[in-house]
Amino acid sequence: MSCVLVKDGGEIVAQGFTQALGRHHAEASALEAYSSALKDTSDPLENDFNHIVAYVTLAP
C-alpha cells in the first residue's frame, strides 16, 4: 500500500508506504513524514492538517 498527502492546489506534501509486517501502515508513514516536515517550517499557517487530502492505494 501507499499513501500521498495532497494540499489544496494539488501539491504533494508527503508520502508513505506500508512497511514490514507489524510496522506502520502507509497512512501512518505519510502522516509521520508530514509532521516531521512541519517541524522544519516557521510559518504557522503551514503547521496544520487543514485542507490536506490522503489518497491511499490498497493491495488486492
Side-chain angles (χ1 to χ4, degrees):
M1 284 182 26
S2 62
C3 176
V4 292
L5 301 181
V6 180
K7 196 179 249 190
D8 282 350
E11 176 189 1
I12 295 174
V13 293
Q15 59 185 358
F17 303 93
T18 297
Q19 300 177 10
L21 186 62
R23 306 242 6 237
H24 287 307
H25 286 256
E27 308 93 284
S29 295
L31 290 170
E32 187 175 277
Y34 185 58
S35 293
S36 293
L38 290 178
K39 292 176 187 174
D40 296 335
T41 181
S42 60
D43 184 353
L45 295 177
E46 293 292 321
N47 289 337
D48 64 40
F49 286 83
N50 293 322
H51 308 286
I52 299 291
V53 176
Y55 293 94
V56 181
T57 62
L58 302 174

